[in-house]
Amino acid sequence: MPYCIAKYCHTSDRNNPNDAHFFNLPIGKDRTQLRRQWLAKCSRPEPKNKQARVCSAHFRREDFENYRQHASGLTSRLFLKKDAVPSIFAEPDTPLDTVTDGAIAPESKRSKRRKARDTKHVSEFLGAHDCHD
């Protein structure tokens, strides 16, 4: 089961609310430096599991060769540029969709539900305490 190795990212094959795509870490002797950059950016050591990937939420639109075709529905598969390095990351307990900065991850259903719930609670609180002067 593929999973994203980026620190604080919980996206996996089973937990993928934003329909993120998964990308293998760079492999090969000529891509060793790029692999090190990916791992450093993701704040992770060399993974022991072959299912370790980085999800599309950590890349900018410019990092993809075919972003426009994918966004318009002409293709379902995304291709990274050869020199792409993940660059979008969340802080602890921050939903990734709030820091995407042009990435492909839209706001998740969970995040939308949280916002609706919080808005409702604030409205109820203000109504119950009649804050009008």
Side-chain angles (χ1 to χ4, degrees), residues 2-18:
Y3 65 95
C4 184
I5 64 166
K7 199 166 191 173
Y8 308 120
C9 184
H10 305 291
T11 305
S12 69
D13 204 24
R14 292 184 184 168
N15 178 30
N16 192 354
N18 299 320

Side-chain angles (χ1 to χ4, degrees), residues 77-88:
R77 202 163 164 209
L78 280 169
F79 295 98
L80 280 175
K81 292 179 180 176
K82 291 187 181 215
D83 61 347
V85 176
S87 57
I88 301 169

Side-chain angles (χ1 to χ4, degrees), residues 22 41-42 44 64 77 85 87 89 120 129 131-132:
F22 294 94
K41 290 284 191 170
C42 292
R44 296 291 185 196
F64 298 100
R77 202 163 164 209
V85 176
S87 57
F89 301 96
K120 179 182 173 189
H129 290 83
C131 294
H132 301 288

Side-chain angles (χ1 to χ4, degrees), residues 7-91:
K7 199 166 191 173
Y8 308 120
C9 184
H10 305 291
T11 305
S12 69
D13 204 24
R14 292 184 184 168
N15 178 30
N16 192 354
N18 299 320
D19 294 324
H21 296 258
F22 294 94
F23 298 95
N24 292 323
L25 296 170
I27 55 173
K29 289 184 179 183
D30 59 331
R31 298 178 50 95
T32 303
Q33 185 62 30
L34 186 61
R35 184 182 183 95
R36 287 184 187 143
Q37 288 177 342
W38 279 40
L39 293 171
K41 290 284 191 170
C42 292
S43 301
R44 296 291 185 196
E46 185 66 41
K48 296 176 182 164
N49 187 329
K50 293 191 185 264
Q51 298 297 318
R53 310 274 196 281
V54 177
C55 74
S56 57
H58 303 290
F59 294 93
R60 297 183 214 281
R61 292 176 181 165
E62 305 86 52
D63 292 331
F64 298 100
E65 291 180 358
N66 63 334
Y67 175 77
R68 287 187 179 169
Q69 293 89 344
H70 176 74
S72 64
L74 295 174
T75 182
S76 61
R77 202 163 164 209
L78 280 169
F79 295 98
L80 280 175
K81 292 179 180 176
K82 291 187 181 215
D83 61 347
V85 176
S87 57
I88 301 169
F89 301 96
E91 295 297 319

